[in-house]
Amino acid sequence: MTPTGPATGTLYVRLSDWFRAHPLAFDATIAFGTLVCMIAGSFTNPHGSPEGPTFGDHAPDLWSVLIMIAGAAALVLRRRRPFAVLCFTVTICLFELVNDNRPAPIAMSAVVALYTVASRTDRPTTWRVGLVTMALLTAAAMIFGPTNWYAQENLGVFAWTGMAAAAGDAVRSRRAFVDAIRERAERAERTREEEAGRRVAEERLRIARDLHDVVAHHIALVNVQAGVAAHVMDKRPDQAKEALAHVREASRSALDELRATVGLLRQSGDPEAPTEPAPGLAVLDGLLDSFRKAGLPVALARAGGDPALPSTVDLAAYRIVQEALTNVRKHAGPDAEAEVSVVRVGRTVEITVLDNGAPQAEAPAGSGGHGLLGMRERVGALGGTLTAAPRYGGGFRVQAILPVTTRTGEDT
C-alpha cells in the first residue's frame, strides 16, 4: 500500500497553512488562474460550427489581452480594497463590451471581485451591490453585444454574477457561523474554568470554617480547664486531676475532628480517608456536655420526633451552636449561663443561643476572630439569615434561620 493518500493530505495541509499565512500570495494565485481562464475563453467561439463551440479559430487582439491582464492584476488587491476592485473590473468590463465586436471574457474578473465583496460584507449590501452589478453587465451585454439580446452568452453573464453574489453570501454566513461556534466554545471553556475555580474557593472556605470551629471550640475548653487545674493544683488536687482529664478529652476530640476535616482533602480512593459522618444535631447533647464540663451551664430546648435535616443544614446548625457557645465561654464571663433552642418552623429551622453574661460588642483588637463572620458565611451559603446582637438587659443573642430545602435542592 503506497503512502500516496497521506502524503497528498499532508501536502494539502501545508499549502493551506502557507496560503493562510500569506494571503497576498493566495490572491496572486487566484488572479493568475482567472487570467488563464479569460485568455483560454477568448480563443473559444461558442458558435464556431454547427456541431458546437470551436477553439482556436479566433484570437484576441492586443487591446483585449491588456484589458484582461489589468482585470486579473486588480484581483491581487481584492481583499484589501474589495469595493474599489469591483468598481474597476466592472468599469473595464463595460468598456470592453461597448467598444469591441467580439469582447473578451473580461467579466470573469468582475465575477471574482463580486464574490469577494459578498463574502466580506453584510447581506443587504451584498444584494444591493449584486443587483447593480448584474443589471449593468447583463444590460451592456444585451445592448452592445454582437449576438441577440436573448443569446446564451448574455444569460451566462447574468447567471455568473448572480451565483457569485450568492456564493459569497453563503461563505460569509458559514464563516460567521463557525466564528460563533468557536466563540461559544471558548466562552464555555472560560465559564467552566471559572466555575471550577469558584468551587475550589468555596471548598477551601468551607474547610477553613470547619477548622476554625473545631480549633476555637476545643482550644477554648482546653484553656478553661487548664486554668482551673493550675488554680486548684495545690489545694484541691482531685479537682485538678478532673480538669486535666477534661483537657485530655477535649484535646482528643479536637484531634479526631481535625483528622476528619483534613481527611476531606485526600483523594477519593485513599483507603485512609475518614468514613464517619460529619457532626450534626444528633450529637448535640455531647457537644453541650463538653461545655458543661468546662463550667458553662447550658440548657437545651428542642422538640422530639422532628425529621432529620439535610446534611448541609444539619452540619451548619451544629457549627453555629458550637461557635456561639464558644464565644459565650470566651467572652461572657465566668458566671454566664446559656440556653440553646432548636425549633422546626414550617420549612425552616431556627437555632437560637442566649446567654446572660456581659459580651463584648466587638472582638478585642488584634484578636483576628472570625467566629461571627464564619457563621454568617455558613448561613448565607444556605440562603438563611443570621442575627447576632446584645440582649436588652444584658447578655447576647445569636439566632439563625435556615431553610430546610437548601439551594442545591437537598431536602428531607
Side-chain angles (χ1 to χ4, degrees):
M1 183 175 180
T2 60
T4 305
T8 304
T10 302
L11 179 61
Y12 173 78
V13 171
R14 290 179 178 178
L15 285 176
S16 299
D17 294 340
W18 190 85
F19 278 129
R20 192 175 293 109
H22 303 83
L24 192 62
F26 180 76
D27 291 337
T29 304
I30 294 295
F32 179 76
T34 304
L35 177 61
V36 171
C37 292
M38 288 190 295
I39 293 178
S42 64
F43 283 91
T44 303
N45 186 0
H47 308 287
S49 68
E51 289 79 11
T54 59
F55 182 82
D57 60 348
H58 173 266
D61 55 21
L62 179 60
W63 178 253
S64 296
V65 173
L66 293 177
I67 289 292
M68 288 186 287
I69 292 175
L75 296 179
V76 177
L77 303 176
R78 66 188 185 95
R79 296 198 211 188
R80 297 184 179 181
R81 305 291 297 274
F83 284 98
V85 170
L86 177 62
C87 292
F88 177 77
T89 54
V90 169
T91 300
I92 63 175
C93 185
L94 292 174
F95 182 81
E96 177 73 2
L97 288 171
V98 171
N99 292 278
D100 200 325
N101 292 329
R102 294 290 302 272
I106 187 62
M108 291 185 182
S109 60
V111 168
V112 176
L114 178 59
Y115 164 82
T116 304
V117 170
S119 65
R120 303 178 73 83
T121 186
D122 56 275
R123 179 164 294 174
T125 303
T126 295
W127 290 115
R128 285 195 296 268
V129 174
L131 287 174
V132 171
T133 303
M134 285 188 293
L136 288 175
L137 295 182
T138 305
M142 288 181 176
I143 296 173
F144 301 104
T147 59
N148 296 325
W149 66 271
Y150 53 83
Q152 62 180 2
E153 291 90 337
N154 302 331
L155 297 178
V157 172
F158 178 83
W160 278 104
T161 51
M163 285 190 296
D169 182 70
V171 169
R172 179 196 55 78
S173 299
R174 182 181 180 277
R175 188 182 298 127
F177 177 72
V178 172
D179 291 342
I181 292 177
R182 185 181 296 111
E183 181 182 359
R184 191 179 301 115
E186 293 175 354
R187 185 166 58 250
E189 183 66 22
R190 290 195 302 269
T191 303
R192 186 160 49 248
E193 293 177 356
E194 292 173 358
E195 178 66 15
R198 185 185 65 82
R199 290 182 178 274
V200 169
E202 289 180 352
E203 184 65 14
R204 291 176 59 187
L205 182 60
R206 185 188 66 81
I207 294 175
R209 285 197 299 260
D210 285 342
L211 288 174
H212 171 270
D213 293 343
V214 171
V215 172
H217 164 62
H218 291 289
I219 295 302
L221 297 183
V222 168
N223 180 62
V224 171
Q225 295 296 339
V228 172
H231 182 68
V232 299
M233 178 67 71
D234 297 331
K235 298 180 179 180
R236 304 176 61 181
D238 293 340
Q239 188 174 353
K241 290 181 179 180
E242 182 180 355
L244 292 176
H246 292 160
V247 168
R248 184 172 59 251
E249 180 181 353
S251 61
R252 183 168 55 248
S253 299
L255 290 175
D256 292 340
E257 290 201 42
L258 285 174
R259 188 180 299 110
T261 303
V262 175
L264 296 175
L265 302 177
R266 296 180 182 272
Q267 299 294 331
S268 58
D270 195 333
E272 297 181 4
T275 57
E276 62 271 11
L281 296 181
V283 294
L284 183 60
D285 292 334
L287 175 67
L288 301 186
D289 286 340
S290 66
F291 281 101
R292 295 185 184 111
K293 292 177 181 178
L296 175 64
V298 183
L300 174 63
R302 62 184 302 183
D306 287 340
L309 297 175
S311 58
T312 54
V313 179
D314 197 29
L315 175 61
Y318 178 89
R319 293 302 188 194
I320 289 170
V321 174
Q322 183 183 56
E323 180 60 31
L325 291 179
T326 301
N327 288 339
V328 172
R329 193 67 189 88
K330 290 167 59 177
H331 304 302
D335 299 326
E337 298 180 358
E339 299 178 5
V340 177
S341 67
V342 180
V343 181
R344 183 77 172 265
V345 181
R347 301 190 66 80
T348 63
V349 58
E350 296 182 4
I351 300 98
T352 305
V353 179
L354 306 174
D355 70 80
N356 60 354
Q360 299 176 0
E362 297 180 357
S367 64
H370 298 282
L372 287 178
L373 178 60
M375 285 193 286
R376 293 187 190 280
E377 289 175 348
R378 285 185 183 277
V379 174
L382 297 175
T385 58
L386 177 79
T387 56
R391 298 172 60 192
Y392 180 76
F396 206 78
R397 177 176 180 268
V398 176
Q399 184 181 43
I401 300 177
L402 303 176
V404 175
T405 303
T406 64
R407 289 180 177 178
T408 58
E410 185 183 11
D411 203 346
T412 57

